[in-house]
Amino acid sequence: MNVTVFSALAFEQPFLDQANAGRHAVQYYAQCLTDQTVPLAQGAAAVSVFGSDDLSAPVLAQLWAHGVRYVLVRAAGTDQVDLPAAHRLGLRMAHVPDYSPHAIAEHAVALLLALARHLRRADQQLRANDFRLDKLIGFELRGKTVGIVGVGHIGAVLAGILHGFGCRLLGQDLRPDDALRQRYGLEYVDLPTLCAQADIVSLHTPLTAATQHLFGDELLGQLKPGAVLLNTGRGGVLDTAAALRALASGQLGYLGLDVYEGEQGLFFADHTRDPLRDATFAKLLTYDNVLMTAHQGYLTREALASLAAAAVAAFDAWGQGQPAAHEL
């Protein structure tokens, strides 16, 4: 099968090549899929895309016109996909929902620990020969109440990790899991209760019309004063402007982000020579109690190998006339 891979980052290509082992003819392009780059897919039966690619109805129609019949999203989130349009066209769509929930959950904990112990400030001070401890008093995780919003694969792994730290666990999900209740003592509650009781809130819910800016002024205002908020899910779940207001008032004590609602066109590229034109992003960076990473939660060797294996397995299945795992 001829496959065109869009948004092909250099570090992931060896993993895809190893998983493919020459079975499919793969063409890599660093460019995102847009209405301007669709012609790059000419001659391919399948394309693989990433989270920043455009899968709106017009782009999907152009893919079909160029002969593409299969689309694999190398990610769990599919909020950028116009699924009704894909189904009308007859495009077969699949994604990779569980390539490594451990990678994301562990990154959320890394952000949390770094914030709790002021590691960014500590590193900066040490490198400046400043060994004072006055501004580095942190807090322990043991005994803290953690609210997990979206207790799917990633949220369940996070629950296990934080249970090991001795945290009390609250969860909010449309499908409560009794096994997590029994294993970790996780208590399912509604969002207002979760916000009112949690010292730490971690967001792992998919981005949908219902969850767009789910955490805005109203829910942020219901957080315990000084609470920690983590988002390693989708940037649009958090209203960044509202988060800035909560930081300014002190209502939000710490903010750890691996995703950002304005990340498209910013993340995954070198902008060291460019002026920073996103005023909201620039404002976030002025806060010592904000720690941000550029959507790298998935970036482990294990996760990249799993993503590549799942992508190639989908191409194998489609090439054999079989449905791929996790078709949409």
Side-chain angles (χ1 to χ4, degrees):
M1 177 179 285
N2 291 331
V3 179
T4 297
V5 179
F6 287 94
S7 297
L9 300 168
F11 58 75
E12 68 173 329
Q13 292 180 31
F15 292 92
L16 288 164
D17 286 339
Q18 183 175 1
N20 183 40
R23 295 200 298 280
H24 304 280
V26 179
Q27 180 65 55
Y28 297 109
Y29 291 102
Q31 297 97 315
C32 293
L33 174 63
T34 67
D35 58 353
Q36 300 299 309
T37 61
V38 167
L40 296 174
Q42 181 68 45
V47 300
S48 179
V49 298
F50 197 52
S52 56
D53 291 289
D54 182 356
L55 292 165
S56 60
V59 173
L60 293 174
Q62 289 184 64
L63 284 175
W64 181 269
H66 282 290
V68 174
R69 297 297 179 262
Y70 308 99
V71 179
L72 186 281
V73 181
R74 302 189 310 282
T78 58
D79 47 275
Q80 82 276 37
V81 183
D82 189 329
L83 277 176
H87 294 156
R88 285 195 302 269
L89 289 165
L91 277 168
R92 300 278 287 277
M93 307 282 305
H95 69 142
V96 188
D98 53 1
Y99 55 90
S100 181
H102 295 274
I104 313 297
E106 289 176 11
H107 193 74
V109 174
L111 290 171
L112 174 57
L113 288 170
L115 286 167
R117 303 307 297 267
H118 304 287
L119 294 188
R120 191 182 75 166
R121 178 191 285 272
D123 181 70
Q124 291 171 338
Q125 286 187 190
L126 184 144
R127 292 174 188 274
N129 272 357
D130 181 354
F131 300 96
R132 292 173 297 172
L133 302 179
D134 309 60
K135 298 180 180 180
L136 302 178
I137 299 173
F139 62 87
E140 300 176 9
L141 299 191
R142 182 175 177 80
K144 297 297 186 294
T145 298
V146 181
I148 303 174
V149 181
V151 196
H153 296 295
I154 297 167
V157 172
L158 181 64
I161 296 171
L162 293 175
H163 176 73
F165 275 96
C167 297
R168 175 193 174 214
L169 300 173
L170 304 177
Q172 191 277 328
D173 198 275
L174 296 176
R175 294 183 294 275
D177 185 343
D178 285 335
L180 296 178
R181 285 192 179 106
Q182 296 170 9
R183 189 176 305 138
Y184 305 129
L186 187 145
E187 179 186 354
Y188 286 94
V189 297
D190 58 29
L191 270 179
T193 301
L194 184 148
C195 290
Q197 296 187 14
D199 303 293
I200 301 154
V201 176
S202 193
L203 307 183
H204 301 279
T205 185
L207 180 60
T208 65
T211 62
Q212 175 73 31
H213 283 184
L214 175 65
F215 271 72
D217 287 311
E218 182 176 353
L219 278 182
L220 291 172
Q222 296 176 39
L223 292 174
K224 294 176 69 172
V228 182
L229 181 65
L230 307 170
N231 189 10
T232 56
R234 283 290 179 265
V237 175
L238 175 65
D239 181 340
T240 315
L244 283 169
R245 288 190 287 271
L247 286 164
S249 71
Q251 176 71 15
L252 189 56
Y254 304 84
L255 180 62
L257 301 177
D258 185 50
V259 291
Y260 170 58
E261 61 180 323
E263 70 183 57
Q264 188 164 0
L266 180 63
F267 287 7
F268 308 116
D270 182 359
H271 295 288
T272 53
R273 296 179 180 274
D274 305 328
L276 183 55
R277 296 187 174 90
D278 187 329
T280 301
F281 186 80
K283 184 66 174 176
L284 283 171
L285 298 180
T286 66
Y287 283 90
D288 285 338
N289 54 343
V290 173
L291 180 59
M292 297 183 68
T293 52
H295 208 142
Q296 70 176 75
Y298 77 102
L299 200 62
T300 65
R301 290 187 294 272
E302 295 84 355
L304 289 169
S306 179
L307 266 174
V312 173
F315 304 144
D316 289 344
W318 285 330
Q320 297 163 11
Q322 302 296 320
H326 307 298
E327 289 203 11
L328 297 164

